[in-house]
Amino acid sequence: MFYKKIIYVWAIFNCCLAHTQSVSEVFQKLGKQYTTAMPLQYKTSYALYKDSDSKKIEESYNGIFYKNELNEVYMKIGDSEILNSKKVFLKINHSEKAIQILSPVSNYLGDFDMKPLLDLCTIEKFLDYKSYWEITMVAKPYSSLPYSKIVVQITKNYFIQKQIFYYNTAVNFSKDYRRPDSHYPRLEVTNTNYSRNPVSASFFNSGTYFTKSDKKQIILSERLKKYEIIN
Protein backbone atom coordinates (compact mmCIF):
# COMPACT_ATOMS: atom_id res chain seq x y z
CA MET A 1 0.00 0.00 0.00
CA PHE A 2 2.78 2.40 0.87
CA TYR A 3 5.84 1.32 -1.11
CA LYS A 4 4.93 3.49 -4.12
CA LYS A 5 5.19 6.57 -1.91
CA ILE A 6 8.16 5.22 -0.03
CA ILE A 7 10.44 5.26 -3.08
CA TYR A 8 10.57 9.02 -2.86
CA VAL A 9 10.56 9.40 0.86
CA TRP A 10 14.37 9.40 1.17
CA ALA A 11 14.35 12.95 -0.31
CA ILE A 12 11.83 14.53 2.04
CA PHE A 13 14.50 15.74 4.45
CA ASN A 14 15.30 18.40 1.79
CA CYS A 15 12.61 20.53 3.41
CA CYS A 16 14.76 21.35 6.41
CA LEU A 17 15.51 25.02 6.89
CA ALA A 18 18.89 25.14 8.59
CA HIS A 19 18.46 28.11 10.85
CA THR A 20 21.71 27.72 12.73
CA GLN A 21 25.25 27.53 11.41
CA SER A 22 25.72 24.04 12.85
CA VAL A 23 22.69 22.63 11.05
CA SER A 24 23.78 24.34 7.83
CA GLU A 25 27.19 22.71 8.03
CA VAL A 26 25.70 19.27 8.68
CA PHE A 27 23.43 19.47 5.65
CA GLN A 28 26.15 20.85 3.43
CA LYS A 29 28.52 18.01 4.26
CA LEU A 30 25.67 15.50 4.03
CA GLY A 31 25.00 16.64 0.49
CA LYS A 32 28.63 16.13 -0.50
CA GLN A 33 28.59 12.54 0.75
CA TYR A 34 25.67 11.62 -1.50
CA THR A 35 26.65 13.62 -4.59
CA THR A 36 30.42 13.11 -4.74
CA ALA A 37 31.56 11.17 -7.82
CA MET A 38 32.29 7.94 -5.96
CA PRO A 39 30.46 4.62 -5.62
CA LEU A 40 27.99 4.38 -2.76
CA GLN A 41 25.75 1.58 -1.58
CA TYR A 42 23.58 0.88 1.45
CA LYS A 43 20.58 -1.14 2.57
CA THR A 44 17.27 0.33 3.67
CA SER A 45 14.37 -1.00 5.72
CA TYR A 46 10.93 0.57 5.86
CA ALA A 47 8.56 0.00 8.78
CA LEU A 48 5.06 1.43 8.91
CA TYR A 49 3.21 1.78 12.21
CA LYS A 50 -0.47 2.60 12.64
CA ASP A 51 0.06 5.43 15.09
CA SER A 52 2.76 7.86 16.14
CA ASP A 53 3.59 5.80 19.22
CA SER A 54 2.71 2.28 18.02
CA LYS A 55 5.14 -0.57 18.68
CA LYS A 56 3.69 -3.09 16.23
CA ILE A 57 4.82 -2.95 12.60
CA GLU A 58 1.87 -3.05 10.17
CA GLU A 59 3.83 -3.16 6.92
CA SER A 60 7.51 -3.45 6.09
CA TYR A 61 9.72 -3.38 3.01
CA ASN A 62 13.41 -3.72 2.29
CA GLY A 63 15.42 -1.78 -0.22
CA ILE A 64 18.90 -1.15 -1.60
CA PHE A 65 20.61 1.91 -3.01
CA TYR A 66 23.50 1.70 -5.47
CA LYS A 67 25.42 4.59 -7.03
CA ASN A 68 28.49 4.45 -9.25
CA GLU A 69 31.29 6.95 -9.83
CA LEU A 70 29.24 8.54 -12.64
CA ASN A 71 26.44 9.26 -10.15
CA GLU A 72 24.17 6.82 -11.94
CA VAL A 73 21.64 5.43 -9.45
CA TYR A 74 19.87 2.09 -9.02
CA MET A 75 17.27 1.62 -6.27
CA LYS A 76 15.07 -1.31 -5.29
CA ILE A 77 12.24 -0.92 -2.81
CA GLY A 78 9.78 -3.72 -2.28
CA ASP A 79 8.76 -4.85 -5.75
CA SER A 80 9.82 -1.64 -7.48
CA GLU A 81 13.11 -0.88 -9.22
CA ILE A 82 14.41 2.51 -10.34
CA LEU A 83 17.39 3.22 -12.58
CA ASN A 84 18.65 6.65 -13.54
CA SER A 85 21.67 6.32 -15.81
CA LYS A 86 23.29 8.67 -18.29
CA LYS A 87 21.09 7.16 -21.01
CA VAL A 88 17.70 6.43 -19.47
CA PHE A 89 15.35 6.66 -16.50
CA LEU A 90 13.54 3.41 -15.71
CA LYS A 91 10.85 2.64 -13.17
CA ILE A 92 9.77 -0.99 -12.93
CA ASN A 93 6.73 -2.10 -10.95
CA HIS A 94 6.78 -5.88 -10.71
CA SER A 95 3.40 -6.24 -9.00
CA GLU A 96 1.71 -4.33 -11.84
CA LYS A 97 4.05 -5.80 -14.49
CA ALA A 98 4.79 -2.37 -15.92
CA ILE A 99 7.96 -0.56 -16.91
CA GLN A 100 8.29 3.17 -17.49
CA ILE A 101 11.05 4.29 -19.86
CA LEU A 102 11.95 7.98 -19.95
CA SER A 103 14.87 10.26 -20.62
CA PRO A 104 17.41 10.42 -17.78
CA VAL A 105 16.74 12.86 -14.96
CA SER A 106 19.52 15.35 -14.35
CA ASN A 107 20.73 15.66 -10.76
CA TYR A 108 18.55 12.72 -9.72
CA LEU A 109 20.39 12.47 -6.41
CA GLY A 110 19.46 16.06 -5.80
CA ASP A 111 21.78 18.83 -4.69
CA PHE A 112 19.93 19.14 -1.39
CA ASP A 113 18.52 22.48 -2.45
CA MET A 114 16.05 23.48 0.23
CA LYS A 115 14.73 26.62 -1.45
CA PRO A 116 11.51 25.14 -2.89
CA LEU A 117 10.38 24.02 0.58
CA LEU A 118 11.71 26.71 2.86
CA ASP A 119 8.21 27.98 3.56
CA LEU A 120 6.94 24.54 4.54
CA CYS A 121 9.22 23.45 7.40
CA THR A 122 10.93 24.78 10.49
CA ILE A 123 13.67 23.24 12.60
CA GLU A 124 12.28 22.35 16.02
CA LYS A 125 15.31 20.58 17.51
CA PHE A 126 18.95 20.00 16.69
CA LEU A 127 20.50 17.51 19.11
CA ASP A 128 24.11 16.36 19.14
CA TYR A 129 24.54 12.78 20.32
CA LYS A 130 27.79 10.87 20.60
CA SER A 131 27.62 9.16 17.21
CA TYR A 132 24.95 11.16 15.33
CA TRP A 133 22.95 14.36 15.12
CA GLU A 134 19.16 14.35 15.34
CA ILE A 135 17.21 17.06 13.57
CA THR A 136 13.47 17.45 14.12
CA MET A 137 11.48 19.31 11.47
CA VAL A 138 7.90 20.44 11.84
CA ALA A 139 5.65 21.28 8.92
CA LYS A 140 4.29 24.78 9.06
CA PRO A 141 0.50 25.21 9.26
CA TYR A 142 -1.27 24.82 5.92
CA SER A 143 1.80 23.37 4.22
CA SER A 144 1.29 20.77 1.49
CA LEU A 145 3.53 18.19 3.15
CA PRO A 146 1.81 14.90 4.08
CA TYR A 147 3.75 14.87 7.35
CA SER A 148 3.33 16.86 10.54
CA LYS A 149 6.84 16.08 11.74
CA ILE A 150 10.03 14.54 10.34
CA VAL A 151 12.97 13.36 12.42
CA VAL A 152 16.31 12.75 10.72
CA GLN A 153 19.37 11.12 12.29
CA ILE A 154 22.67 11.88 10.58
CA THR A 155 25.86 10.07 11.51
CA LYS A 156 29.09 11.91 12.29
CA ASN A 157 30.29 10.61 8.92
CA TYR A 158 27.45 12.58 7.33
CA PHE A 159 25.19 9.73 6.26
CA ILE A 160 21.48 9.39 7.05
CA GLN A 161 21.00 6.52 9.44
CA LYS A 162 17.29 6.99 10.13
CA GLN A 163 14.26 9.02 9.14
CA ILE A 164 10.92 9.06 10.94
CA PHE A 165 7.86 10.47 9.21
CA TYR A 166 4.70 11.33 11.15
CA TYR A 167 1.68 11.53 8.83
CA ASN A 168 -0.74 14.42 9.23
CA THR A 169 -3.59 12.75 7.36
CA ALA A 170 -5.53 9.69 8.48
CA VAL A 171 -5.06 6.39 6.66
CA ASN A 172 -7.70 3.65 6.62
CA PHE A 173 -6.00 0.34 7.40
CA SER A 174 -9.19 -1.69 7.15
CA LYS A 175 -9.73 -4.08 4.26
CA ASP A 176 -13.46 -3.99 4.95
CA TYR A 177 -15.01 -0.70 3.78
CA ARG A 178 -17.90 -1.28 6.20
CA ARG A 179 -15.53 -1.16 9.16
CA PRO A 180 -13.05 1.69 8.73
CA ASP A 181 -9.88 1.64 10.81
CA SER A 182 -8.34 5.09 10.43
CA HIS A 183 -5.06 6.11 12.03
CA TYR A 184 -2.28 8.68 11.69
CA PRO A 185 0.67 6.42 10.85
CA ARG A 186 4.41 6.69 11.41
CA LEU A 187 6.98 5.53 8.89
CA GLU A 188 10.52 4.67 9.97
CA VAL A 189 13.24 4.39 7.34
CA THR A 190 16.55 2.91 8.51
CA ASN A 191 19.74 2.87 6.41
CA THR A 192 22.57 0.43 7.16
CA ASN A 193 25.72 -1.11 5.68
CA TYR A 194 27.06 2.02 4.01
CA SER A 195 29.96 1.25 1.71
CA ARG A 196 32.01 2.92 -1.01
CA ASN A 197 32.67 -0.42 -2.69
CA PRO A 198 31.53 -0.53 -6.34
CA VAL A 199 28.69 -2.81 -7.43
CA SER A 200 28.16 -4.70 -10.67
CA ALA A 201 27.99 -2.45 -13.73
CA SER A 202 24.99 -4.48 -14.92
CA PHE A 203 22.70 -2.55 -12.55
CA PHE A 204 23.39 0.65 -14.49
CA ASN A 205 23.44 -0.87 -17.98
CA SER A 206 20.17 -0.26 -19.84
CA GLY A 207 20.87 -3.41 -21.85
CA THR A 208 20.09 -5.39 -18.72
CA TYR A 209 16.50 -4.21 -19.01
CA PHE A 210 15.88 -3.60 -22.72
CA THR A 211 17.45 -3.14 -26.15
CA LYS A 212 16.33 -1.37 -29.30
CA SER A 213 15.82 -2.89 -32.72
CA ASP A 214 17.06 -1.38 -35.97
CA LYS A 215 13.70 0.34 -36.21
CA LYS A 216 14.17 1.84 -32.73
CA GLN A 217 11.55 -0.45 -31.23
CA ILE A 218 12.03 -1.34 -27.57
CA ILE A 219 12.69 -5.01 -26.88
CA LEU A 220 12.43 -5.91 -23.19
CA SER A 221 14.78 -8.41 -21.62
CA GLU A 222 13.59 -11.96 -21.00
CA ARG A 223 12.51 -11.35 -17.40
CA LEU A 224 10.52 -8.25 -18.39
CA LYS A 225 9.18 -9.28 -21.80
CA LYS A 226 5.57 -9.60 -20.61
CA TYR A 227 5.54 -6.17 -18.96
CA GLU A 228 3.57 -3.20 -20.25
CA ILE A 229 5.80 -0.39 -21.52
CA ILE A 230 4.90 3.14 -20.39
CA ASN A 231 6.75 6.04 -21.97
Side-chain angles (χ1 to χ4, degrees):
M1 176 172 62
F2 277 84
Y3 75 89
K4 294 180 182 178
K5 298 179 181 178
I6 287 173
I7 59 178
Y8 301 107
V9 92
W10 64 274
I12 295 298
F13 68 89
N14 292 1
C15 73
C16 312
L17 171 57
H19 67 312
T20 70
Q21 183 62 28
S22 296
V23 173
S24 298
E25 290 176 352
V26 170
F27 275 92
Q28 182 180 16
K29 293 179 180 179
L30 175 73
K32 290 181 179 179
Q33 282 286 50
Y34 285 88
T35 59
T36 188
M38 294 176 62
L40 177 65
Q41 59 175 293
Y42 58 88
K43 296 180 180 180
T44 304
S45 63
Y46 304 83
L48 183 71
Y49 300 82
K50 273 189 177 182
D51 298 292
S52 62
D53 57 352
S54 298
K55 303 298 181 182
K56 179 184 176 182
I57 298 175
E58 295 298 319
E59 294 184 35
S60 63
Y61 302 94
N62 291 318
I64 54 175
F65 176 97
Y66 294 151
K67 181 178 79 72
N68 62 16
E69 67 278 1
L70 299 177
N71 277 345
E72 295 176 311
V73 172
Y74 170 86
M75 298 171 61
K76 188 175 190 301
I77 301 173
D79 64 356
S80 290
E81 295 179 75
I82 291 177
L83 168 68
N84 189 64
S85 71
K86 298 298 182 183
K87 296 181 178 180
V88 68
F89 177 88
L90 296 177
K91 182 178 177 182
I92 306 170
N93 188 312
H94 292 290
S95 62
E96 297 180 3
K97 294 190 180 301
I99 177 171
Q100 188 175 28
I101 303 176
L102 302 171
S103 299
V105 179
S106 60
N107 299 320
Y108 183 71
L109 280 174
D111 58 358
F112 302 93
D113 181 12
M114 298 177 285
K115 293 180 182 178
L117 296 172
L118 292 182
D119 294 332
L120 302 179
C121 302
T122 57
I123 302 297
E124 183 181 66
K125 295 179 183 179
F126 175 54
L127 303 177
D128 188 344
Y129 292 98
K130 184 176 181 180
S131 60
Y132 65 92
W133 294 283
E134 184 173 274
I135 301 172
T136 300
M137 297 153 284
V138 177
K140 292 183 178 179
Y142 310 111
S143 78
S144 59
L145 287 175
Y147 314 107
S148 60
K149 183 170 68 174
I150 305 168
V151 179
V152 180
Q153 295 178 358
I154 301 171
T155 70
K156 295 300 176 72
N157 292 326
Y158 302 99
F159 287 114
I160 300 173
Q161 72 175 15
K162 192 170 188 177
Q163 295 167 277
I164 307 174
F165 301 87
Y166 296 85
Y167 284 75
N168 59 15
T169 54
V171 173
N172 183 13
F173 285 84
S174 177
K175 296 181 180 180
D176 184 350
Y177 71 92
R178 295 168 297 181
R179 297 181 179 180
D181 183 25
S182 297
H183 298 263
Y184 290 86
R186 178 180 92 255
L187 175 66
E188 296 192 1
V189 183
T190 305
N191 301 326
T192 58
N193 298 97
Y194 276 95
S195 171
R196 288 292 186 185
N197 294 330
V199 298
S200 172
S202 64
F203 286 104
F204 312 101
N205 181 3
S206 60
T208 303
Y209 309 92
F210 72 93
T211 57
K212 287 188 176 181
S213 68
D214 295 337
K215 296 181 180 180
K216 304 299 182 181
Q217 292 180 321
I218 294 174
I219 303 173
L220 296 179
S221 64
E222 183 66 23
R223 73 184 180 101
L224 302 172
K225 67 178 182 180
K226 295 183 179 180
Y227 284 39
E228 177 186 2
I229 299 176
I230 303 172
N231 51 26

